[in-house]
Amino acid sequence: MNLYASPQRATDTLLAQPNLRLRVGDHVVDVGALRIVTRPESPRLTSKAMAVLIELVRQVGATVTREHLLDSVWADRVTTPDVLTQAIKELRRAFADDGKPPRYIETIPKVGYRLVASVLALDGPGTGVLMDGGDAVLALPEAEEAPAPAAEPVPSRRSGVGVRTIAAVAAVLLVALAALGYRALSVRGGAAAAARWQTSDLRALTSDPGAEYRPHLSPDATRIAFGTFNPQEFSERLVMRSVEPSQRIFLTQGSNLVDGFPTWSPDGHRIVFSRVGLHSCEMFMVPGLGGAEQHVRTCQEAGSNYFDWTPDGNALISSERADGGKGDFELFRFDLASGRKQVLAYERAAGSQDLDARYSPDGRLLAFRRGLAPYSDLFVMPADGGPPRQVTHVSARIRGYAWSADNRTLVYSSDHSGMQALYATDVEDGHTEALGIAPAAYPDAARSSDAVVYEILRTRERLTTLPLRPDGAPMQLLAPSTGNDYGAVLSPDGRRLAFASDRSGQRQAWLYDFDSDTATQLTDALSMPILSVRWSPSADRLLAVRRNGAIRQLIEIDLASRRQRVLSRADENIVFGDYDFDARNHLIAVRLSDRDTRLYRVQQAGTAQESRQPILPSIVSAQVDPATRSLYYTSGTEPGLHRRALDGEADERVTPATLDFPRIGWRVVGGRVWYLAELGVRSAHLREFDPAGGSDRFVTKLDMLLGSLDFDVTRAGDVLIFSPIAAEDTDIGFFRLHRAP
């Protein structure tokens, strides 16, 4: 018996059922399995593409706006319109909808999309909701139902149904909606009840072209100092302005050096900052309202020169490597009057890497970051020394943190959930909450108020090719989007690229095909961002490192089926993985401590028959060269590039002692080593080293900002593939943070 009643509610009810199958046009879709059943050769759909299809089915025949689809499908993520475009492309490929006019999904220019195919929601034999762009028909199986009284007219399909049937359907829907409503209210209420911090007055303080970065608040929260980059002059200088709209005051004059990291003294009368060049790092001090510069000291490494004032304003606290730059990072005080350096005495194990120390506003506690990026956490100890106590457990890239004025909270930026975002942690019990502010980095809080400033990250790292020819051929974007792309790696046959990208709103694995000029999303676990990828020798599988909470896992992705399997153990933190020259075996780098990342050769990884053989300790980066059956690697204890034959155990250093080879930022291609050198803030040299002959040649200069040192080069050595920062418009944000009542 066919009944016509409340089409939209009936549709919603069936679409919410588990194990749902849809007939869309000529094809059958298994929603739960993310499959087009009638096209078994088609790859499995991503969950977001399926969610878009469900929304189009829900309003079949009607135009669904892009805004509605983005709000419905990506409601839990800050994202870009590109993710919807990619999902529509994925659906059209799955349905082979390449004709004109389209037979399945029609684009309504500047508005949205419309599902033009008929749809049957299959829920068992003889049931479903037929949707053809007009009315929907709820088709129920024959049931035992009391006949209607003779005096009651028989309803037609268009005129309604019996009261009992409507009441029954309505009752079921009301119970379901009530349950869903209770669940939603419970979740929201629980989250609200548990919230320990609240934010308010969230706004941007700057919006000028170019980048403003590393903001620092005056102690009374009335003024802000920060660095600026002028792309026209190609100069970087420090400026100061009021927190409220006002004119800027230049604190430094600007040059080809980089002025940054301004830090106010506790009384607000002085500002210390760093000045960095290609081979230099100096620290200076200027009056709080601008004036003559005073040299403070020469710093050891520009990339690790973090500093803060002591509570009395007489000294700075900073960190450097011991033993003249060869040992661990350790904390020290630098007396401004005498220039004397004193290493802090506190409990620390050998191999600990401690930097970026900051005193609480009352001077009683000292926080610092332990662990080198991207594997850091925050610790707190008494300011006069004692056992440090770990207060965060993210083991992630922490890009700045600050004490709140109440001396009880650390506000920090971390990427442990995928996107660089702000979090608050209670230093007493370690309770942590996301503040809902992203992308964001380098927060700074006032000493005497609830004001916080931070970087609003507005950069774009875009997949790019650069021909390595003397004629100066221009760069070209691949699969342009408004997202960020990371760590592109060429397939062994050179036809595809694997990379990580947040163009879907979260860092996931993507695949770019040169022949079709299309990018396809491979993974869709929004709570588990992808950090890096590697190809199998046969180009049919990928290894990917993904973050799962505080743990980094190694997974393998079969490209034909999109199936994934975890290769690492549950208690391991993976730095990277690669295939052995025998693709049945894997090389897995496991982080055991701050100083030791152990490399293992693993057979039958992820199975009960797994066996492991430790190969190397203290490894930083490595790559297998199948052509020579060798492993190239850099070490945390020995300089230069090393090589080991995977058939044996003899190691050799392949770079001369005179070559300052980087620990990261290199690739082995065709038996030659390509690497980045002369790293400046907005420049780098690409060089090629021949291990056989020892020649080391300059290839090209990259006059651009590199957010990452990952790159690849074609086998012919004629094209560089990387992700430079194509847009740099970082601004300064502001908000107020206070504890909830």
Side-chain angles (χ1 to χ4, degrees):
M1 155 179 171
N2 287 338
L3 301 173
Y4 177 81
S6 192
Q8 190 59 58
R9 285 184 293 173
T11 301
D12 291 344
T13 302
L14 278 182
L15 291 181
Q17 293 190 20
N19 302 319
L20 175 67
R21 290 183 305 137
L22 298 172
R23 178 174 292 280
V24 181
D26 298 330
H27 296 291
V28 174
V29 180
D30 188 330
V31 175
L34 304 177
R35 284 288 194 189
I36 308 296
V37 177
T38 47
R39 295 196 70 214
E41 76 283 359
S42 179
R44 192 187 303 270
L45 291 171
T46 61
S47 61
K48 291 302 185 186
M50 185 63 76
V52 170
L53 178 61
I54 293 296
E55 286 300 313
L56 294 175
V57 167
R58 200 183 305 277
Q59 303 182 52
V60 60
T63 299
V64 185
T65 66
R66 294 179 61 88
E67 290 76 12
H68 174 82
L69 290 170
L70 288 168
D71 291 343
S72 300
V73 177
W74 288 273
D76 58 340
R77 288 289 181 270
V78 177
T79 185
T80 67
D82 290 320
V83 297
L84 176 56
T85 302
Q86 293 296 332
I88 294 294
K89 288 182 179 179
E90 184 179 343
L91 290 172
R92 284 174 171 155
R93 282 195 299 269
F95 289 122
D97 188 18
D98 52 5
K100 292 184 180 181
R103 296 178 296 114
Y104 288 84
I105 300 174
E106 179 185 9
T107 299
I108 310 300
K110 299 184 179 180
V111 179
Y113 302 95
R114 186 167 73 99
L115 185 61
V116 295
S118 61
V119 181
L120 179 66
L122 304 172
D123 188 41
T127 68
V129 172
L130 180 63
M131 292 163 281
D132 59 1
D135 295 318
V137 178
L138 174 62
L140 300 176
E142 296 295 332
E144 294 183 5
E145 184 178 359
E152 185 177 343
V154 178
S156 69
R157 287 183 58 187
R158 302 277 179 184
S159 62
V161 296
V163 173
R164 290 180 57 194
T165 304
I166 293 178
V169 173
V172 172
L173 290 175
L174 285 173
V175 170
L177 289 173
L180 289 172
Y182 175 78
R183 180 182 178 189
L185 288 173
S186 298
V187 171
R188 287 196 296 268
R196 189 172 296 186
W197 293 275
Q198 295 177 349
T199 60
S200 62
D201 196 15
L202 182 64
R203 53 194 164 102
L205 297 183
T206 65
S207 58
D208 297 329
E212 293 89 23
Y213 51 90
R214 303 300 194 276
H216 199 272
L217 274 168
S218 63
D220 59 3
T222 61
R223 293 168 291 161
I224 178 175
F226 52 93
T228 63
F229 171 62
N230 187 319
Q232 285 74 37
E233 299 176 359
F234 209 77
S235 65
E236 312 220 15
R237 55 201 302 195
L238 294 183
V239 299
M240 180 190 62
R241 50 158 280 189
S242 171
V243 169
E244 299 305 320
S246 63
Q247 289 187 336
R248 297 180 176 186
I249 298 175
F250 286 100
L251 296 174
T252 60
Q253 297 304 309
S255 64
N256 59 349
L257 302 178
V258 176
D259 295 340
F261 292 95
T263 305
W264 247 291
S265 62
D267 59 9
H269 294 163
R270 294 165 293 170
I271 295 175
V272 167
F273 67 94
S274 62
R275 176 169 290 159
V276 178
L278 185 59
H279 299 291
S280 65
C281 177
E282 305 290 339
M283 295 180 63
F284 291 85
M285 183 164 52
V286 294
L289 293 176
E293 298 177 357
Q294 176 186 345
H295 184 264
V296 175
R297 65 182 299 265
T298 298
C299 31
Q300 187 184 81
E301 294 182 22
S304 58
N305 185 41
Y306 303 96
F307 50 89
D308 191 22
W309 292 80
T310 56
D312 59 12
N314 294 327
L316 300 176
I317 185 167
S318 187
S319 57
E320 286 183 344
R321 289 189 182 273
D323 301 328
K326 298 180 181 179
D328 300 330
F329 279 101
E330 57 185 15
L331 304 179
F332 68 89
R333 288 190 183 93
F334 178 81
D335 185 80
L336 291 171
S338 66
R340 187 170 64 92
K341 174 182 171 181
Q342 178 184 6
V343 177
L344 265 64
Y346 62 98
E347 296 181 13
R348 62 190 297 267
S352 297
Q353 308 295 329
D354 298 340
L355 1 72
D356 201 3
R358 299 181 184 276
Y359 286 97
S360 59
D362 62 8
R364 298 177 59 186
L365 296 174
L366 181 66
F368 61 91
R369 176 165 60 88
R370 173 166 288 176
L372 302 181
Y375 314 111
S376 300
D377 272 297
L378 297 178
F379 287 69
V380 170
M381 66 180 180
D384 55 0
R389 177 169 48 88
Q390 186 172 350
V391 295
T392 69
H393 298 271
V394 295
S395 186
R397 186 183 301 277
I398 294 178
R399 298 179 65 183
Y401 73 96
W403 283 94
S404 66
D406 65 2
N407 305 287
R408 299 166 58 195
T409 303
L410 291 177
V411 180
Y412 67 96
S413 170
S414 169
D415 67 349
H416 66 272
S417 293
M419 181 177 292
Q420 203 75 37
L422 295 187
Y423 299 83
T425 290
D426 192 309
V427 298
E428 296 172 359
D429 60 14
H431 176 79
T432 300
E433 290 176 13
L435 298 179
I437 300 175
Y442 299 105
D444 184 69
R447 298 174 60 90
S448 58
S449 83
D450 57 5
V452 181
V453 292
Y454 66 99
E455 282 188 9
I456 305 174
L457 296 176
R458 290 176 175 158
T459 58
R460 290 290 179 266
E461 299 178 50
R462 295 176 175 171
L463 200 60
T464 304
T465 60
L466 174 63
L468 300 176
R469 303 198 306 259
D471 59 0
M475 296 190 299
Q476 179 181 353
L477 293 178
L478 297 180
S481 78
T482 55
N484 292 280
D485 305 323
Y486 312 92
V489 185
L490 266 171
S491 62
D493 58 11
R495 299 179 61 185
R496 292 178 293 177
L497 280 174
F499 60 100
S501 178
D502 65 5
R503 56 181 68 196
S504 62
Q506 175 65 282
R507 277 186 68 150
Q508 295 296 302
W510 285 71
L511 201 64
Y512 174 77
D513 186 275
F514 283 98
D515 294 335
S516 61
D517 189 25
T518 57
T520 305
Q521 187 173 346
L522 296 178
T523 60
D524 194 27
L526 292 183
S527 61
M528 292 184 284
I530 298 296
L531 306 181
S532 62
V533 291
R534 297 278 180 100
W535 283 95
S536 68
S538 55
D540 60 344
R541 288 167 289 159
L542 286 175
L543 289 181
V545 177
R546 74 179 181 191
R547 177 174 287 280
N548 186 0
I551 297 295
R552 289 173 300 279
Q553 301 173 313
L554 184 68
I555 64 171
E556 186 175 57
I557 306 169
D558 180 80
L559 296 182
S561 64
R562 300 293 198 267
R563 291 180 179 175
Q564 303 174 18
R565 67 185 185 107
V566 179
L567 302 183
S568 53
R569 297 173 180 173
D571 59 344
E572 290 181 330
N573 255 327
I574 304 302
V575 179
F576 62 86
D578 204 348
Y579 288 93
D580 204 335
F581 61 83
D582 180 351
R584 294 171 297 179
N585 301 329
H586 300 86
L587 300 177
I588 301 179
V590 182
R591 183 174 184 256
L592 303 180
S593 68
D594 289 344
R595 287 296 298 268
D596 190 9
T597 295
R598 193 70 52 85
L599 186 67
Y600 297 89
R601 174 184 277 166
V602 184
Q603 296 179 325
Q604 301 188 60
T607 70
Q609 294 75 38
E610 176 183 295
S611 64
R612 293 191 173 197
Q613 173 193 358
I615 298 180
L616 291 167
S618 301
I619 196 160
V620 175
S621 58
Q623 183 191 340
V624 172
D625 181 19
T628 60
R629 300 168 72 94
S630 300
L631 175 72
Y632 286 82
Y633 67 93
T634 56
S635 168
T637 57
E638 297 292 334
L641 180 69
H642 299 256
R643 179 172 58 196
R644 165 178 287 201
L646 287 172
D647 297 328
E649 296 184 357
D651 284 14
E652 61 174 328
R653 179 172 171 174
V654 299
T655 54
T658 55
L659 179 59
D660 184 18
F661 197 86
R663 294 185 177 185
I664 58 176
W666 58 271
R667 293 285 297 167
V668 178
V669 181
R672 295 175 179 264
V673 182
W674 300 73
Y675 69 98
L676 295 174
E678 300 292 323
L679 293 172
V681 175
R682 286 182 171 80
S683 66
H685 289 183
L686 178 66
R687 302 188 68 90
E688 181 191 32
F689 174 74
D690 180 9
S695 64
D696 179 37
R697 75 178 183 96
F698 169 80
V699 179
T700 189
K701 184 180 180 183
L702 305 173
D703 285 317
M704 59 195 70
L705 185 63
L706 299 176
S708 166
L709 300 183
D710 295 325
F711 68 92
D712 206 347
V713 177
T714 56
R715 182 164 293 276
D718 56 353
V719 177
L720 171 69
I721 301 170
F722 64 141
S723 298
I725 294 180
E728 187 186 6
D729 290 305
T730 294
D731 289 319
I732 306 300
F734 175 94
F735 66 94
R736 297 189 180 276
L737 177 72
H738 48 89
R739 294 218 170 205

